[in-house]
Amino acid sequence: MKKINAIIFDLGGVLIDWNPEYVYLDVFNGDRKKMQWFFDNICTMDWNENQDAGYPLQKATEERVAMFPEHEELIRLYYGRWVEMLGDAIEGTVKILKSLIDNPNYKVVALTNWSRETFPIALKRFDFLHWFEGIVVSGEEKTRKPFKEIYETTLNRFHISAENSIFIDDNQRNIDAAQALGINGIYFESPKALTEALKHYSISI
């Protein structure tokens, strides 16, 4: 096994809790079936990911309203109340991050799918985002995970060797794409599970 000298963190779902349910479950009066239909058919994850890749939020909203005018009010809530979808830090992972940051043996960076328009909100709210050597934000790069370009950008920008790095993400699709480029991957389930997974790379927290 190659010696690990770089750790690449995803943010949403790993270090930061983000979930549109925080807005829409209340809007749908607790009816999860209706809420899920809305996410599956109107404001889908594919649609949101397009904005993560740099598409303007206002333009995306107006286009979706034009497609589904009967759902206009619900559509406008998505980015209109986006701040309320941003939950708390996942403290267990933040502790792991701090331990790695404090260890001079590791370069620690982040790679996130996030709109360039909303990312500044997270930067203001979460101090630990300023601990990283750098953060690659998909919305600023005009591409996103799982496309190989954004992984290559991360490796090149921070002078990281794929085989000597670990990428941590809560989406298996993104892990698979990283591994296809030779990057070691850990699928994030919980801080405890992450601590155990890191031990396999001789990294103790």
Side-chain angles (χ1 to χ4, degrees), residues 29-161:
N29 298 312
D31 191 327
R32 287 190 170 275
K33 187 174 181 180
K34 287 184 178 180
M35 179 184 69
Q36 194 57 52
W37 181 92
F38 179 78
F39 291 151
D40 289 342
N41 295 278
I42 310 299
C43 288
T44 66
M45 289 308 296
D46 284 345
W47 175 73
N48 179 62
E49 283 194 326
N50 192 46
Q51 283 68 267
D52 285 347
Y55 203 73
L57 303 187
Q58 185 63 36
K59 187 174 182 181
T61 299
E62 296 306 329
E63 289 173 351
R64 191 87 349 180
V65 167
M67 289 175 65
F68 305 103
E70 68 276 22
H71 298 290
E72 177 175 1
E73 183 177 353
L74 291 171
I75 292 167
R76 294 194 185 281
L77 288 179
Y78 200 93
Y79 293 116
R81 292 178 60 183
W82 182 90
V83 172
E84 297 172 53
M85 301 178 188
L86 196 60
D88 296 327
I90 300 172
E91 293 297 343
T93 318
V94 174
K95 290 179 181 178
I96 294 171
L97 171 66
K98 184 65 164 59
S99 177
L100 293 169
I101 291 281
D102 288 344
N103 191 324
N105 294 319
Y106 305 114
K107 177 178 295 191
V108 186
V109 303
L111 167 58
T112 183
N113 279 0
W114 206 304
S115 164
R116 66 183 297 273
E117 295 178 60
T118 57
F119 191 64
I121 298 170
L123 279 175
K124 289 181 180 179
R125 183 176 296 187
F126 302 106
D127 289 342
F128 64 81
L129 292 179
H130 301 276
W131 299 351
F132 290 103
E133 181 167 325
I135 302 176
V136 175
V137 179
S138 61
E140 295 174 355
E141 305 300 327
K142 302 298 178 67
T143 185
R144 60 172 176 80
K145 297 173 289 184
F147 301 119
K148 69 177 184 178
E149 290 82 7
I150 200 161
Y151 298 94
E152 291 171 343
T153 293
T154 304
L155 297 177
N156 293 333
R157 183 169 298 168
F158 302 112
H159 309 290
I160 293 171
S161 167

Side-chain angles (χ1 to χ4, degrees), residues 161-181:
S161 167
E163 63 185 6
N164 299 115
S165 67
I166 298 174
F167 175 55
I168 303 162
D169 197 293
D170 66 325
N171 187 321
Q172 188 61 48
R173 174 200 68 180
N174 297 338
I175 294 291
D176 292 343
Q179 290 176 325
L181 294 172

